[in-house]
Amino acid sequence: MASDMYGSRIKHLREKKERQTLEKLEKNGYMNEDDYGSVLPPEDFHFSPDFNDETNHTFYGAKLWARNFRRLMQCHPVYIDPEDAIAGRWMFILQRLRPFDSAVSMNNMEMAPVFNYDYLKPYHEKYCIVPGIGKMHHFAPDYEMGLKLGFGGLRKKVETYRALNPEAEEMYEAELEVLDGIQSWVQAIARKAADMRDAQTDPALKENLMEMAQAVEWIEDNPPRSFREACQWIAVLNMCNRTYNRAGAGMQLDETLRPYYERDVRQGVLDDEKAKYIIACLFINDPHYYQIGGPAPDGSDMTSQLSFLILEAAHMAKTSINLTIRVHDGMDERLMRRGLEVLFEDRKGFPRFSGDKALVEGFMKNGYSAEIARKRIAVGCHWMSLPGLEYTLNDLIKINLAKVFEVAYSEYRGEKERTSEGLYTVFTKHLRIAIRAVANGIDFHLTFQHLNAPELVLNLLSHGPIERGLDVSNGGVDNYNICVDASGIATVADSFGAITQRIEAEGALSWEQCDRALDDNFAGVDGERTRLMLASAKKFGHGFSAGDEWAKRISHDFAQLVSQRPTPGGRLMIPGLFSWANTINLGEKVAATPNGRFAFEPISHGANPDPGFRKDGAFTAMAKAIAMVQPGYGNTAPFQLELNPTILNRENVIDLIEAVIKTHFDLGGTLVNINIIDAETLRQAHNDPMKFPNLVVRVTGFTAYFVALSPEFRQLVIDRVINDR
């Protein structure tokens, strides 16, 4: 049967990917980020980029980025597995081939040294800000535009507007050079597939390679016609995005592919088993972020037969996959239920679920219509973006609330009469300064980024850059909605809550006792006693606690400070609550805090209450707490839920979790990530990860093979999972 053949092929590809992950781990070390679909290049392959900054051994500007990308793609090795439906794998990230001199600060690694922002660095250091300056991608391309035009059509578009905008000659020349690189690599893939087809003796694999070669040959210059060609085109674009600068934003996968699927089914050249096989291969090729389901701009449900096939393809692939189901009123309830079934059965951390109501209503507060707001989809760790229409810097700017608190607490110690309200006044003063520093950094980035690292690949799939001759970071699109995240809200809310309860309400501790304990990092018997008293105060998430009230207040005030005043250059900032895995490095800069956290330990994760916020660890309480602190302007504050597989023994468990998710969204929640993992398995995997090469966990906004994570990242997951039980 065809289904058995496809299942066997996917099993082969999955097991091969797991081996390749171990090979990359051995050669390159831990990968504390998305589980990319890259493979190692041949041992004898070497590539060195050209530099235009010889002093710092780096390159910048459209000319050098385009030249280096073209050179890399023209010699890029070709990888094809005859059992795969998708040809090609990527092997390099050009962005990471920009080595700087060791004397250059690590904070400046993304912005070439010629673009100096030293005047902002004291603020970044003081408040432990991740400024986002010089960072690339993190917004969504419009795949439908690319599929409609094909690479040849994109070339004609560039040539057309090149004639109309002669002042932008350098940019257009760079875009054409990028297309040269892409198309030359596609040619090489097609030749390799044809050679493998001619040498193959197995009839089924020979037919597969024939279809592969035909698809790749066609899409070199032409728009895709079939479902397979469309998936191959998407994969090529994805691999080139990764090779250029690691870009990983995907699309509304079901609606984008639906016309090709329906046409091929009508013509009798595609059945559902083959469609699932092709999509599963697309997932294995690279874990880009895709959304299925959700509302069309008019509010109607976009769920289709293909939505379900995509879910089944993910279920078939059983690897690291970043797939989101958009939940909204009027959706096909079967899609959400099947998504939960896949989540519980596979235990790979996918799919996750985004909440349409709060996301749409929140984005409308920024002056957009409901129709536009519904086009903004989940395409990254916590990203929401209008495909091809919006530049956002999603997940790149982090304000460390815990460090802001530390600065405020230190300054406030000089006051004779101290109160939590007085401390909060100082905290908001410093928070305002930190936000202004971020705003100035955003303007610096948007002034110089096109000269530093232009988005030459993503420009091609955006509305405006080619037409205007302007990089997407430099006025190429109409919408600049810059994401500004706060991190560590539970750390700070619980610190204020502990002060309110233990010092002010109960008088069990004095400010001076708290000072000494923090200074000494809770050393000694007295220090540990003080720490336990502070740590046992009622926390954010407990329900009707001081920690809850402080969390609401901090989130509200942060959101207002970010959203109500644009940058000096007039760019809109949209608040979010998210830490990614920055909880580790942000915590390394923060001394002991009054919630009982030791110095330099990780700060709290995202919008979640700290593990142990309630003895029962009730996830319904967590769902309410995280809904309560949503910033409310269309960006997310994810709910990270850790579940033990024993929950499967509960009657109607799917109904239970579905109800929790929907309640969270009804209360204003925006995004739900779920891990289903046994604590003992996790402990064993941490001690000897090589024994669990296929264990996939949701680290934060992304899923990854546990074995590929560093011990620190593995500990981050363990602390969250085990302490939440």
Side-chain angles (χ1 to χ4, degrees):
M1 292 177 60
S3 60
D4 293 337
M5 178 184 70
Y6 295 140
S8 175
R9 289 181 181 178
I10 293 301
K11 183 175 183 291
H12 158 79
L13 294 171
R14 178 176 61 248
E15 291 174 347
K16 193 170 184 179
K17 179 174 181 177
E18 290 166 1
R19 293 194 300 273
Q20 290 165 340
T21 298
L22 296 179
E23 291 168 0
K24 289 186 290 184
L25 177 63
E26 182 178 358
K27 184 173 180 62
N28 300 328
Y30 296 114
M31 299 173 286
N32 294 328
E33 53 192 353
D34 300 60
D35 177 61
Y36 303 135
S38 61
V39 298
L40 291 174
E43 289 286 343
D44 59 350
F45 181 86
H46 301 284
F47 176 81
S48 297
D50 293 337
F51 299 145
N52 56 351
D53 181 349
E54 293 294 344
T55 301
N56 296 291
H57 307 293
T58 190
F59 60 89
Y60 60 90
K63 185 175 181 179
L64 265 291
W65 272 94
R67 180 197 301 172
N68 284 323
F69 179 77
R70 174 188 54 76
R71 287 182 52 235
L72 177 57
M73 299 312 293
Q74 287 179 339
C75 65
H76 194 293
V78 174
Y79 174 100
I80 295 176
D81 189 302
E83 299 201 49
D84 205 333
I86 302 295
R89 289 289 180 87
W90 63 278
M91 302 177 186
F92 311 93
I93 300 175
L94 181 61
Q95 180 187 13
R96 293 181 177 174
L97 298 178
R98 299 174 76 199
F100 288 168
D101 185 272
S102 60
V104 177
S105 167
M106 286 296 292
N107 288 333
N108 206 24
M109 286 299 286
E110 305 293 349
M111 183 68 80
V114 68
F115 307 107
N116 185 287
Y117 59 98
D118 284 349
Y119 67 100
L120 291 173
K121 290 178 182 177
Y123 297 100
H124 299 161
E125 183 176 351
K126 180 176 182 177
Y127 298 113
C128 191
I129 292 168
V130 180
I133 296 173
K135 295 287 187 179
M136 302 178 74
H137 60 89
H138 286 66
F139 60 96
D142 184 349
Y143 283 81
E144 292 187 10
M145 176 201 300
L147 288 165
K148 181 179 179 180
L149 295 175
F151 295 119
L154 289 171
R155 177 178 292 278
K156 291 177 183 176
K157 180 179 177 180
V158 172
E159 290 170 341
T160 296
Y161 284 99
R162 178 189 190 182
L164 297 175
N165 300 309
E167 72 282 358
E169 172 66 19
E170 182 176 332
M171 174 181 159
Y172 289 119
E173 190 65 32
E175 297 291 355
L176 290 172
E177 200 162 5
V178 164
L179 285 165
D180 286 343
I182 294 173
Q183 291 182 291
S184 65
W185 189 50
V186 174
Q187 288 176 2
I189 295 173
R191 288 194 298 269
K192 176 78 169 181
D195 290 345
M196 291 177 66
R197 172 200 61 200
D198 295 342
Q200 182 59 243
T201 57
D202 181 284
L205 293 179
K206 192 177 189 71
E207 180 181 0
N208 184 52
L209 287 165
M210 179 187 69
E211 293 180 6
M212 181 187 291
Q214 290 173 345
V216 180
E217 287 170 1
W218 178 262
I219 68 165
E220 177 202 337
D221 201 53
N222 304 292
R225 303 162 298 182
S226 68
F227 186 80
R228 183 162 187 161
E229 289 172 356
C231 288
Q232 180 67 64
W233 192 95
I234 289 168
V236 167
L237 192 279
N238 287 349
M239 290 184 282
C240 291
N241 266 332
R242 291 292 201 194
T243 303
Y244 185 78
N245 64 1
R246 197 173 60 90
M251 73 194 90
Q252 182 77 35
L253 187 60
D254 49 359
E255 192 65 11
T256 300
L257 288 177
R258 183 177 56 81
Y260 301 95
Y261 165 76
E262 292 179 346
R263 181 171 56 200
D264 283 6
V265 169
R266 283 196 306 269
Q267 293 177 355
V269 297
L270 181 70
D271 60 29
D272 286 353
E273 292 301 320
K274 189 168 185 177
K276 288 190 294 184
Y277 161 63
I278 294 170
I279 298 168
C281 290
L282 181 64
F283 285 145
I284 291 172
N285 184 269
D286 195 89
H288 269 55
Y289 288 80
Y290 300 113
Q291 178 174 294
I292 58 174
D298 64 2
S300 60
D301 185 40
M302 290 193 292
T303 303
S304 65
Q305 170 67 6
L306 188 55
S307 308
F308 290 95
L309 292 181
I310 290 169
L311 256 182
E312 297 309 318
H315 180 44
M316 184 181 184
K318 288 183 173 61
T319 183
S320 173
I321 294 172
N322 295 307
L323 185 64
T324 304
I325 295 176
R326 184 78 168 256
V327 177
H328 70 110
D329 293 339
M331 74 177 295
D332 188 331
E333 298 286 344
R334 297 174 302 162
L335 185 65
M336 182 175 185
R337 187 166 191 88
R338 182 56 187 153
L340 285 167
E341 290 171 352
V342 169
L343 175 72
F344 276 90
E345 184 174 341
D346 293 343
R347 304 178 194 177
K348 302 290 187 183
F350 68 81
R352 59 182 188 169
F353 303 87
S354 68
D356 176 72
K357 181 176 183 292
L359 289 170
V360 170
E361 292 177 359
F363 195 58
M364 290 172 67
K365 292 180 185 177
N366 301 301
Y368 292 91
S369 68
E371 290 74 18
I372 293 294
R374 293 188 187 109
K375 292 181 180 180
R376 207 169 192 247
I377 61 174
V379 288
C381 280
H382 83 314
W383 320 354
M384 302 301 298
S385 188
L386 294 167
L389 296 168
E390 181 183 29
Y391 186 83
T392 59
L393 290 179
N394 283 306
D395 195 18
L396 293 177
I397 299 172
K398 300 284 180 281
I399 293 180
N400 188 346
L401 296 178
K403 188 65 176 181
V404 175
F405 177 89
E406 178 190 312
V407 171
Y409 190 96
S410 178
E411 178 180 312
Y412 191 58
R413 286 175 69 162
E415 297 295 325
K416 291 183 178 180
E417 298 293 330
R418 287 190 271 175
T419 64
S420 58
E421 284 295 331
L423 175 59
Y424 189 71
T425 298
V426 181
F427 172 78
T428 54
K429 178 189 77 172
H430 285 285
L431 181 59
R432 187 176 289 107
I433 296 170
I435 292 170
R436 281 296 91 192
V438 162
N440 288 324
I442 289 168
D443 284 346
F444 182 93
H445 173 89
L446 292 175
T447 299
F448 294 105
Q449 179 65 356
H450 70 290
L451 301 173
N452 170 55
E455 297 283 356
L456 297 177
V457 177
L458 290 175
N459 280 342
L460 295 167
L461 278 298
S462 297
H463 297 270
I466 303 305
E467 293 86 343
R468 301 171 188 177
L470 296 172
D471 188 73
V472 70
S473 70
N474 184 42
V477 292
D478 291 337
N479 304 291
Y480 289 83
N481 299 315
I482 308 303
C483 175
V484 177
D485 289 322
S487 300
I489 188 169
T491 299
V492 177
D494 290 346
S495 293
F496 273 110
I499 290 169
T500 302
Q501 181 179 338
R502 298 305 192 199
I503 297 177
E504 296 181 330
E506 299 172 355
L509 291 172
S510 67
W511 283 93
E512 290 72 23
Q513 284 176 302
C514 186
D515 295 344
R516 286 194 297 271
L518 296 179
D519 290 343
D520 296 337
N521 197 22
F522 304 111
V525 175
D526 288 343
E528 178 62 8
R529 174 182 171 276
T530 300
R531 190 189 73 80
L532 291 174
M533 289 187 67
L534 292 168
S536 61
K538 291 183 179 179
K539 300 179 180 297
F540 162 51
H542 185 277
F544 306 104
S545 68
D548 286 315
E549 293 305 311
W550 282 112
K552 283 194 293 185
R553 187 173 178 182
I554 293 165
S555 175
H556 174 271
D557 291 350
F558 167 76
Q560 292 301 302
L561 288 170
V562 168
S563 64
Q564 299 307 306
R565 183 181 172 191
T567 71
R571 281 84 174 207
L572 182 65
M573 298 186 292
I574 300 184
L577 283 180
F578 192 58
S579 56
W580 191 70
N582 293 101
T583 52
I584 295 174
N585 62 292
L586 293 181
E588 289 172 348
K589 303 293 185 180
V590 181
T593 43
N595 65 328
R597 172 191 152 275
F598 287 108
F600 317 126
E601 287 191 343
I603 60 173
S604 56
H605 174 81
N608 270 40
D610 259 343
F613 68 99
R614 278 171 57 136
K615 289 183 179 179
D616 59 9
F619 48 75
T620 52
M622 189 186 298
K624 292 177 182 178
I626 297 170
M628 180 176 67
V629 299
Q630 296 291 319
Y633 284 84
N635 282 349
T636 71
F639 171 15
Q640 179 71 38
L641 179 59
E642 318 291 352
L643 297 175
N644 194 301
T646 56
I647 196 172
L648 295 171
N649 299 327
R650 296 176 64 168
E651 187 176 356
N652 300 322
V653 62
I654 298 293
D655 295 335
L656 172 64
I657 301 303
E658 182 177 359
V660 170
I661 294 172
K662 288 184 175 179
T663 298
H664 179 64
F665 291 154
D666 288 342
L667 293 172
T670 48
L671 185 64
V672 177
N673 300 321
I674 302 177
N675 263 327
I676 301 172
I677 191 164
D678 175 62
E680 183 55 34
T681 298
L682 205 57
R683 287 191 186 96
Q684 292 179 26
H686 185 42
N687 292 331
D688 192 352
M690 299 301 286
K691 288 184 177 179
F692 299 85
N694 62 351
L695 176 61
V696 174
V697 297
R698 179 164 291 282
V699 182
T700 170
F702 66 95
T703 60
Y705 284 102
F706 194 67
V707 67
L709 301 174
S710 68
E712 294 79 11
F713 269 60
R714 297 201 302 265
Q715 190 65 51
L716 183 73
V717 177
I718 285 173
D719 290 344
R720 198 176 67 219
V721 170
I722 293 176
N723 280 294
D724 275 355
R725 299 293 162 79

